[in-house]
Amino acid sequence: MDQLLEDTVATEDLKRFEQKYHEELNSGTVNSTTQFEYAWCLVRSKYSADIKKGIMLLEDLFQRPDEDNKRDYLFFLAIGNTKLKEYSIALKYVRALLQVEPGNLQAQELEKMISKKLEHDGMVGMAVAGGTALAFGGLVGLGLALGARAALKKYNEKKENPQQTENHHEKT
């Protein structure tokens, strides 16, 4: 499954399917197969902008009521969103696929992988947030300690020199 996520499209293939897609688009009608092939190439790109475009094309295909390949669309929507680290969205798509095909081993494996990545990123996120909170708390604590130290110093100075304090009050 990792290999599928790391698989990138050859530049020549992407250009070929992009050209075919744009030719059909310019003629007024894009065949579903052409749109899927182009989206499939885009999702396998190493560039996030391409992957996002591929996801949009797949979502468009999935929304069409007359499409029979919804399983493939769901699978590659899950792959694309996983590559973008949009794990909760990817999980939604792979689980929708598993609703239709509960025995799909590839989808089951993808679901496990996405869940692990989501859990890992969640733990990393909590660690970062916790570290940030700890650092902020440390700074606040340091600020309070320095403030208390300064206040104590002033208090001790007043105690040692009560005459200066009285003269200061008389002048003001």
Side-chain angles (χ1 to χ4, degrees):
M1 191 54 59
D2 282 331
Q3 185 179 3
L4 188 58
L5 290 171
E6 293 169 8
D7 180 37
T8 56
V9 65
T11 306
E12 315 78 64
D13 290 341
L14 181 58
K15 286 181 181 178
R16 185 168 35 103
F17 286 110
E18 181 178 33
Q19 182 179 357
K20 184 177 178 186
Y21 173 80
H22 285 290
E23 285 171 2
E24 289 185 21
L25 188 63
N26 290 336
S27 72
T29 306
V30 177
N31 179 314
S32 294
T33 302
T34 300
Q35 184 168 331
F36 173 73
E37 289 170 341
Y38 180 44
W40 175 68
C41 285
L42 289 167
V43 165
R44 292 172 41 234
S45 173
K46 58 184 171 185
Y47 302 107
S48 62
D50 286 348
I51 297 169
K52 288 175 185 176
K53 187 174 182 180
I55 287 171
M56 287 176 27
L57 293 171
L58 289 167
E59 286 173 340
D60 176 60
L61 287 168
F62 184 76
Q63 296 301 322
R64 295 180 188 176
D66 59 334
E67 285 300 315
D68 295 328
N69 298 322
K70 291 188 184 279
R71 177 195 105 43
D72 293 332
Y73 306 152
L74 287 171
F75 185 76
F76 285 103
L77 282 163
I79 293 288
N81 280 288
T82 302
K83 288 178 82 168
L84 292 175
K85 298 183 189 308
E86 295 288 346
Y87 301 125
S88 57
I89 297 169
L91 210 49
K92 178 184 79 168
Y93 285 121
V94 78
R95 286 182 175 159
L97 173 56
L98 286 168
Q99 288 291 315
V100 179
E101 289 185 19
N104 186 319
L105 296 177
Q106 206 174 20
Q108 290 172 6
E109 190 178 330
L110 182 59
E111 180 189 30
K112 285 178 193 171
M113 179 186 292
I114 295 167
S115 294
K116 283 181 185 175
K117 288 181 180 287
L118 186 61
E119 184 179 310
H120 177 265
D121 277 16
M123 294 296 193
V124 169
M126 285 191 291
V128 168
T132 302
L134 186 62
F136 179 72
L139 288 174
V140 169
L142 179 62
L144 290 174
L146 290 175
R149 183 176 173 199
L152 184 61
K153 185 177 178 182
K154 280 186 181 180
Y155 174 77
N156 286 334
E157 286 174 359
K158 285 181 184 179
K159 233 173 126 177
E160 291 173 5
N161 301 320
Q163 198 71 18
Q164 268 186 334
T165 307
E166 287 175 17
N167 290 340
H168 175 72
H169 287 299
E170 288 174 7
K171 291 179 184 175
T172 53

